[in-house]
Amino acid sequence: MAPASTKTGEIPFSHPTISTPLKTWYEIHGTLSTPSSPTHRPLVVLHGGPGIPHDYLLPLVDLANTYPAPVIFYDQVGCGRSTHLPEKKNDKDFWTPELFLSELDNLLQHLGIQDGYDVLGQSWGGMLGALHAIRQPPGLNRLIIANSPADMGSWVAAADRLRLGLPEDVQETLARCEREGKTDTEEYEKAIMVYYERHLCRVKPLPAELEASFAWLKQDDTVYLTMNGPSEFFVSGTLKTFDIRKDVHQIKVPTLLINGRYDEAQDEVVEPFFQEIEKVKWYRFAESSHTPQLEEREEFMKVVARFLGYKNR
């Protein structure tokens, strides 16, 4: 089957504290629906981090190649191919969920899809997607929350438990570097990778798509460091107090909840979504950690396509 057509572009995005317009880079695989050529609703993909661009989610192109389903990727401002703002590092008043909600609304309006679309958010992207759905935008039809916490307290508690399963020398290195403020060292980075190989992505060697996202992060960690912190389990940024458990009942669209057996987002981390969302299904990938779209690619696409109601061409 021939690959779906691809279109890239940049969308102007303004912020009251920035004098020049920002740019949100996007890429559409497939063709947006028209009266003469109807397709499935577009699927808007929200990447994680914050500040880790979309590359590691590119396996979702499979959906556009298999079904008449346009898939839209974009790099959130501050990372990847969108405008970078390294001068805003540690500016906690600037890097907020509200900034990225506004950017998402701007993208939907610019592409003219605000009246009918689906959202798949992965990790931080799932948190952002949930916040978007809580507002009950009329054009949102279905939501997929993949590998995401409803609150960061549960995420950190699960990470602390998973760390106890690491080799003792790795645990010691992580603790010492965090204690001594040496989280920007090669020693700490190597210790983190031991954790990531167990609980972020279990494919060896790491897939090229994930390596590409990590390369972008290494070039500019402004957003990730400010909002998250130095690592997946050492959360010291603005998201440290993130907690939407009391609000998720306001998500009214059908929702698919995803995590993996070895995921950083352990069952107790994602369970509040399952308990509080009215129309929800939960699928747990048996051989995956935090990136089932890379670890169990074929099964992941089947699960997502079935939920979204896709049918083969």
Side-chain angles (χ1 to χ4, degrees):
M1 188 172 292
S5 61
T6 304
K7 174 187 176 182
T8 62
E10 293 180 331
I11 301 171
F13 173 55
S14 62
H15 189 276
T17 68
I18 304 293
S19 58
T20 57
L22 307 175
K23 292 186 182 297
T24 301
W25 177 94
Y26 71 91
E27 182 171 84
I28 304 174
H29 290 259
T31 305
L32 296 178
S33 186
T34 64
S36 60
S37 181
T39 65
H40 288 291
R41 289 184 304 271
L43 177 64
V44 181
V45 181
L46 312 182
H47 66 69
I52 300 179
H54 81 283
D55 303 71
Y56 75 100
L57 290 164
L58 280 173
L60 287 161
V61 170
D62 292 353
L63 297 172
N65 291 340
T66 306
Y67 311 94
V71 178
I72 301 171
F73 301 97
Y74 73 100
D75 289 340
Q76 295 157 24
V77 68
C79 76
R81 300 148 190 84
S82 294
T83 302
H84 286 238
L85 296 164
E87 69 276 12
K88 290 287 189 180
K89 182 176 281 191
N90 297 320
D91 187 341
K92 297 182 178 181
D93 292 327
F94 181 79
W95 299 111
T96 64
E98 186 62 42
L99 170 72
F100 297 103
L101 286 168
S102 297
E103 183 184 30
L104 174 56
D105 288 342
N106 187 61
L107 176 132
L108 296 171
Q109 291 284 340
H110 179 89
L111 296 179
I113 60 173
Q114 69 276 9
D115 294 331
Y117 60 95
D118 299 320
V119 163
L120 185 154
Q122 198 278 334
S123 197
W124 147 252
M127 299 157 68
L128 179 62
L131 285 169
H132 180 70
I134 285 168
R135 297 182 171 192
Q136 300 178 12
L140 177 63
N141 281 267
R142 288 182 177 252
L143 172 68
I144 300 173
I145 300 174
N147 320 97
S148 308
D151 75 291
M152 289 304 289
S154 298
W155 172 276
V156 172
D160 288 344
R161 176 168 55 80
L162 293 173
R163 274 175 65 156
L164 295 176
L166 299 177
E168 288 190 11
D169 61 323
V170 175
Q171 291 186 55
E172 190 280 327
T173 298
L174 291 170
R176 175 170 48 79
C177 288
E178 291 166 0
R179 187 171 60 249
E180 297 176 359
K182 297 180 178 179
T183 55
D184 58 350
T185 61
E186 185 177 349
E187 180 184 28
Y188 187 71
E189 186 175 330
K190 286 182 177 179
I192 286 173
M193 287 308 299
V194 177
Y195 179 88
Y196 287 179
E197 287 170 357
R198 296 185 181 200
H199 303 296
L200 182 78
C201 183
R202 297 169 71 85
V203 178
K204 295 182 180 180
L206 288 179
E209 298 95 334
L210 184 56
E211 291 279 22
S213 289
F214 279 162
W216 278 108
L217 177 62
K218 197 160 190 175
Q219 288 181 37
D220 186 357
D221 64 358
T222 297
V223 187
Y224 186 80
L225 193 65
T226 306
M227 294 187 72
N228 185 82
S231 72
E232 296 288 280
F233 44 77
F234 187 24
V235 180
S236 57
T238 56
L239 290 180
K240 185 175 183 178
T241 57
F242 180 90
D243 187 347
I244 57 171
R245 288 174 294 180
K246 62 178 175 50
D247 298 319
V248 294
H249 70 278
Q250 297 178 61
I251 297 175
K252 300 302 182 183
V253 296
T255 301
L256 174 64
L257 186 62
I258 287 172
N259 73 331
R261 176 183 177 186
Y262 306 101
D263 204 337
E264 301 172 280
Q266 290 281 289
D267 289 354
E268 67 269 23
V269 175
V270 302
E271 186 175 8
F273 290 120
F274 187 72
Q275 295 295 338
E276 297 297 331
I277 298 174
E278 182 180 353
K279 302 173 185 177
V280 62
K281 296 180 179 180
W282 184 353
Y283 193 96
R284 186 172 182 258
F285 286 86
E287 302 300 327
S288 292
S289 58
H290 196 54
T291 51
Q293 79 280 1
L294 295 167
E295 297 164 292
E296 295 181 71
R297 181 169 177 163
E298 185 175 351
E299 180 65 15
F300 186 90
M301 301 310 153
K302 288 179 180 178
V303 170
V304 169
R306 187 164 57 243
F307 173 71
L308 295 177
Y310 292 172
K311 295 180 181 179
N312 288 323
R313 289 171 176 163

